[in-house]
Amino acid sequence: MDSSLQVIIDALPLLLEGTVVTLKLIVISLIIAMVIGLISGLMSTSLNRLLRLVATLYVDIIRGTPLLVQVYFIYFGLPVFLDMRIPAMTAGIIAISLNAGAYISEIFRAGINSISNGQHEAARSLGLTRFQTMRLVVLPQATRRMIPTFVNQFIITIKDTSLLSAIGIAELTQSGEIIISSNFRAFEIWGVVGIFYLIIIVLLSRASRFIERRYAIR
Amino acid sequence: MITVENLKKQFGANEVLKDISTTILEKEVVCVIGPSGSGKSTFLRCLNLLEGVTSGKVTIGGIEVTSPKTDIDQLRTNVGMVFQQFNLFPHLTVLENIMLAPKHIKKLNKADNEKKSMELLGKVGLSQKRDAYPEQLSGGQQQRVAIARALAMNPSVMLFDEPTSALDPEMVGEVLQVMKDLAHEGITMIVVTHEMGFAREVADRVIFMDGGYIVEEGTPEELFQNTRHERTKAFLGKVL
């Protein structure tokens, strides 16, 4: 039997490939999720009832169903209904983006609501429009307060991408499964897979501390 | 300059302004005094529609504020407002606070904007604080910056909502001095205040409000020395 070290060294190329796929999933999904979250968050703080309703419905549906069910629904369910094939990677990105977008929407909503009414009034009394007030006064302040909560959500989403192994995307967790199915070395491989996730997440949280200090709330 | 006709404002069942009518002339300095809950702040906030009115009509410079057709954002550029809690933008420096509205509304270029903003900052005596953030300033300094910010759009009317009420006593004087200078420049000012000394010295006219009505108005001499109404007398007896 090979030594543990040899097993790990042999597995590294495939695991690194999986890590690249995972990083790709994370970056693309989180960018889309931030856009969806911002739009939905703005809708949920809008004066328009219909916009608020749509945002609430979206958040409720996503938060009220398990991510794995959402992944299966988009990958297996939607193609039946639409009569078209959705590639696993695309389905995975859609599912993760929609899922994280709902939680990020709530972060934006809470952040926007945390800015005092006096800030809105001061901006509006100068003649700034509602939109300018949001963009120039409210969001810059709210976003700074939201950084730690965003990072928390990002970390959860990073770990959520491991669920995409269920639809055969060759991301980090799936790579681990593939290796173990041929060499049966669960201890070494799951250990290394775990360490890879740990490294990604620790790097992210250190980076966020740095950003937080840099843009400290005034 | 400003006309107010039968202005009424209700919050739910609570009638805060019952029937307010008055006219404010160009370059007039009007102080609004009265007990808390008398509706004086609400009255001021109805003038630039920070509070929607329940009924009645307000016009400023010939433009009907209360008409749904009026571009209220446009109108507000002509009506500066100073708040009790200053409400400076904490993520921007002092200079950026002042430059914000001219930059995004007038699209004023940076050099002109900075020059004009520095002039305003000089006027309130805080040129050396241009790059400070609001949290680094005292309350009095913050309020002076807030006045400069409100002046940046060249308004013809300035509204002051209890501008010295949140200040430590030793800082009240510096803010009142800036307001006094402004009054002498001939800008139309409406000041909701508890500073009777300021009202007596600077105001052209004093309005006493109580229970959602204007009880009495007149020159400072008329109101403070020859008080006609019992309610005004009772109020002045307590505060003077």
Side-chain angles (χ1 to χ4, degrees):
Chain A
M1 207 161 112
D2 288 342
S3 71
S4 292
L5 188 64
Q6 191 57 47
V7 167
I8 292 168
I9 290 170
D10 289 345
L12 272 183
L14 200 54
L15 288 179
L16 285 174
E17 261 176 58
T19 306
V20 171
V21 175
T22 290
L23 287 174
K24 206 170 129 192
L25 277 169
I26 295 169
V27 172
I28 298 174
S29 302
L30 284 180
I31 290 172
I32 301 173
M34 284 296 280
V35 175
I36 296 176
L38 175 61
I39 293 170
S40 169
L42 287 173
M43 282 166 69
S44 66
T45 56
S46 127
L47 294 177
N48 184 316
R49 246 211 194 129
L50 184 70
L51 291 180
R52 278 206 312 269
L53 184 73
V54 171
T56 310
L57 224 53
Y58 161 60
V59 171
D60 280 350
I61 290 171
I62 297 293
R63 292 204 304 185
T65 53
L67 175 57
L68 189 57
V69 173
Q70 293 162 15
V71 171
Y72 283 154
F73 180 78
I74 290 169
Y75 185 58
F76 297 117
L78 273 188
V80 176
F81 179 72
L82 299 172
D83 198 22
M84 60 176 277
R85 215 182 140 265
I86 301 178
M89 194 69 183
T90 311
I93 288 171
I94 294 174
I96 295 286
S97 307
L98 282 178
N99 186 274
Y103 292 94
I104 289 171
S105 166
E106 285 293 278
I107 299 173
F108 271 113
R109 189 174 67 86
I112 290 167
N113 286 341
S114 77
I115 302 301
S116 79
N117 205 28
Q119 291 288 307
H120 287 267
E121 289 185 348
R124 296 305 303 280
S125 76
L126 288 167
L128 295 169
T129 63
R130 275 183 60 81
F131 183 74
Q132 286 174 321
T133 299
M134 202 41 98
R135 182 167 68 88
L136 302 169
V137 175
V138 177
L139 281 177
Q141 293 181 57
T143 310
R144 280 162 219 228
R145 292 185 191 183
M146 289 186 268
I147 292 173
T149 328
F150 276 141
V151 172
N152 207 34
Q153 181 56 45
F154 290 176
I155 290 172
I156 292 171
T157 302
I158 290 171
K159 293 190 279 196
D160 280 349
T161 59
S162 69
L163 277 177
L164 297 179
S165 61
I167 56 170
I169 296 178
E171 43 67 74
L172 184 52
T173 303
Q174 175 75 353
S175 309
E177 271 171 28
I178 292 168
I179 296 166
I180 293 166
S181 67
S182 66
N183 71 3
F184 307 106
R185 299 295 287 260
F187 176 77
E188 290 87 350
I189 302 301
W190 285 135
V192 175
V193 168
I195 288 168
F196 275 30
Y197 279 110
L198 185 65
I199 291 170
I200 297 173
I201 288 168
V202 169
L203 285 179
L204 171 71
S205 60
R206 289 294 169 278
S208 86
R209 291 266 172 81
F210 174 75
I211 293 171
E212 248 178 272
R213 266 200 304 273
R214 184 95 197 256
Y215 297 96
I217 293 168
R218 301 276 177 189
Chain B
M1 183 70 201
I2 302 176
T3 62
V4 180
E5 291 168 45
N6 307 106
L7 177 63
K8 289 180 189 172
K9 172 67 184 176
Q10 269 173 285
F11 291 103
N14 183 18
E15 216 176 7
V16 181
L17 299 179
K18 285 174 181 149
D19 189 1
I20 305 280
S21 296
T22 188
T23 301
I24 289 152
L25 305 174
E26 197 166 346
K27 299 186 177 175
E28 196 175 19
V29 176
V30 175
C31 282
V32 183
I33 61 171
S36 48
S38 59
K40 52 196 194 302
S41 278
T42 306
F43 166 64
L44 197 72
R45 292 161 58 84
C46 282
L47 297 181
N48 66 350
L49 234 57
L50 279 187
E51 299 290 353
V53 306
T54 304
S55 69
K57 188 172 156 187
V58 177
T59 66
I60 295 182
I63 298 164
E64 192 182 338
V65 179
T66 41
S67 159
K69 284 180 211 141
T70 301
D71 178 355
I72 193 68
D73 295 324
Q74 172 71 38
L75 182 120
R76 281 175 180 149
T77 61
N78 191 34
V79 183
M81 185 156 192
V82 175
F83 300 85
Q84 186 177 349
Q85 298 296 339
F86 332 134
N87 296 340
L88 290 178
F89 306 132
H91 61 301
L92 301 178
T93 64
V94 163
L95 193 62
E96 287 166 345
N97 263 275
I98 302 172
M99 288 169 65
L100 185 76
K103 177 178 170 188
H104 291 279
I105 300 171
K106 274 195 205 153
K107 314 287 179 199
L108 199 61
N109 74 57
K110 195 167 178 237
D112 289 349
N113 195 358
E114 191 170 322
K115 185 162 167 274
K116 170 86 196 299
S117 299
M118 282 307 293
E119 273 169 28
L120 288 171
L121 209 47
K123 201 186 227 176
V124 299
L126 289 170
S127 306
Q128 76 286 6
K129 296 288 186 189
R130 52 174 283 166
D131 295 321
Y133 282 90
E135 63 162 11
Q136 298 165 321
L137 304 182
S138 71
Q141 290 172 332
Q142 288 192 47
Q143 193 62 299
R144 282 146 66 196
V145 173
I147 293 171
R149 180 179 68 178
L151 289 169
M153 292 296 289
N154 277 330
S156 51
V157 181
M158 284 283 282
L159 308 176
F160 293 85
D161 189 4
E162 303 199 23
T164 58
S165 298
L167 295 176
D168 290 338
E170 73 267 27
M171 294 171 184
V172 170
E174 60 189 72
V175 172
L176 292 181
Q177 187 56 49
V178 168
M179 292 168 61
K180 236 179 264 179
D181 297 344
L182 211 53
H184 292 141
E185 281 178 27
I187 192 165
T188 310
M189 288 170 57
I190 306 176
V191 186
V192 170
T193 187
H194 294 292
E195 295 293 331
M196 296 305 148
F198 178 82
R200 199 193 298 250
E201 189 186 339
V202 183
D204 298 310
R205 181 154 54 107
V206 180
I207 292 177
F208 172 68
M209 282 182 69
D210 192 13
Y213 293 103
I214 291 180
V215 176
E216 183 167 355
E217 56 184 308
T219 64
E221 296 78 50
E222 285 169 345
L223 206 99
F224 290 115
Q225 269 105 51
N226 309 309
T227 318
R228 282 167 297 164
H229 288 265
E230 283 309 315
R231 270 198 287 178
T232 320
K233 274 182 199 155
F235 174 74
L236 291 176
K238 275 182 220 153
V239 296
L240 288 183

